[in-house]
Amino acid sequence: MFSSLLRSLPQLGRRWKPLNFSNPNFVRLADWPKVEEETLPDYIASQYYPTRIGEVINQRYQVIDRDQYHLVFIQPQIYRAPEVILGVPWTFSADIWNVGCMIWDIYEGGSLFTGQDPEFQRYRSRAHLAEMINLLGPPPPSLVIQGELSDKFFSSDFLNQDLLTGLVPLEQRETTLEGTAEREAFLRFMRKMLQWEPGKRSSAKELAEDEWIHRHM
């Protein structure tokens, strides 16, 4: 199951085509300023994923720009890759992060990330980034500097230090697998996907050949 899923990832790209925007009554979400969907009035995440160019959101907003889609409307929130949150141009490696989170959830019986912000009592990108830092340590500056939205979250350090609870790596979070060899193989597999830098994540082909995957085919 996992092997076929991983091999399908290169086919997940979307084709773009111009659409006719004929309704003047909707607020148009243009390329600039960038709009985060969590800041839209009356936003409810489950209602608006996935979105497409031309799609109407909450009967009030219409997505009109390809770049905005690439920076905002991609992936369910708790599976969202760090480059997507930061506004870094993304590619298929964002899907690799996504799959890593889903596989963890299946085997561990709970979400690796929630993004629940204690102040707002709902998902916020800053809380999600804090959870990533708690898991992986700080992101490399080479990634942060590329993000069009990075200054919302970082100066020299992460801006919301109160959300950081200390480093708790995957090794300390894994609680369900039995046997040292099985556990170590699983953690090696997860680390191939859950990397801050997209270029350091394994490809779908490489993951499909991983020893842990072959044990569970």
Side-chain angles (χ1 to χ4, degrees):
M1 177 182 70
F2 289 126
S3 180
S4 60
L5 173 63
L6 291 168
R7 291 186 187 280
S8 73
L9 288 180
Q11 308 302 320
L12 294 179
R14 301 176 178 89
R15 294 182 178 180
W16 303 98
K17 61 180 180 180
L19 298 176
N20 180 29
F21 302 97
S22 58
N23 191 327
N25 297 320
F26 295 116
V27 178
R28 305 302 176 87
L29 302 183
D31 179 47
W32 187 260
K34 302 297 180 192
V35 177
E36 288 186 272
E37 76 269 35
E38 64 191 42
T39 65
L40 298 179
D42 306 318
Y43 170 74
I44 301 175
S46 61
Q47 292 183 355
Y48 309 140
Y49 179 85
T51 61
R52 298 177 296 276
I53 292 178
E55 185 163 336
V56 174
I57 300 175
N58 203 29
Q59 301 300 311
R60 297 172 62 183
Y61 305 92
Q62 190 168 32
V63 180
I64 65 172
D65 188 88
R66 178 179 186 274
D67 289 335
Q68 180 182 310
Y69 184 99
H70 271 218
L71 288 173
V72 178
F73 297 111
I74 172 182
Q75 302 178 312
Q77 290 173 332
I78 63 172
Y79 298 136
R80 194 163 288 170
E83 62 267 30
V84 176
I85 297 175
L86 295 174
V88 177
W90 51 266
T91 183
F92 295 119
S93 52
D95 293 322
I96 298 298
W97 176 279
N98 204 155
V99 169
C101 293
M102 289 191 292
I103 292 176
W104 177 275
D105 291 359
I106 291 170
Y107 273 82
E108 294 299 310
S111 297
L112 188 58
F113 305 109
T114 67
Q116 287 298 302
D117 192 303
E119 179 181 350
F120 293 93
Q121 295 297 306
R122 61 186 176 93
Y123 178 92
R124 296 288 290 182
S125 295
R126 65 177 193 172
H128 195 170
L129 283 171
E131 291 176 338
M132 292 178 182
I133 294 171
N134 291 335
L135 177 71
L136 302 173
S142 58
L143 176 67
V144 175
I145 199 172
Q146 298 178 60
E148 292 194 26
L149 301 175
S150 292
D151 58 358
K152 293 185 58 177
F153 309 109
F154 295 92
S155 55
S156 57
D157 294 308
F158 185 57
L159 294 176
N160 298 103
Q161 292 288 314
D162 57 308
L163 296 176
L164 301 180
T165 58
L167 185 65
V168 183
L170 290 172
E171 289 79 1
Q172 295 181 31
R173 300 191 186 202
E174 199 293 305
T175 59
T176 63
L177 296 178
E178 297 181 358
T180 300
E182 170 73 5
R183 185 172 186 271
E184 290 181 352
F186 176 72
L187 291 172
R188 282 195 299 271
F189 180 61
M190 295 304 302
R191 283 192 290 268
K192 292 179 179 181
M193 295 177 281
L194 299 178
Q195 294 283 335
W196 278 112
E197 296 180 84
K200 290 187 176 180
R201 297 173 203 151
S202 295
S203 68
K205 182 177 185 297
E206 291 168 339
L207 292 172
E209 297 170 352
D210 184 85
E211 60 172 319
W212 187 83
I213 281 288
H214 281 275
R215 291 181 187 178
H216 295 272
M217 289 179 64

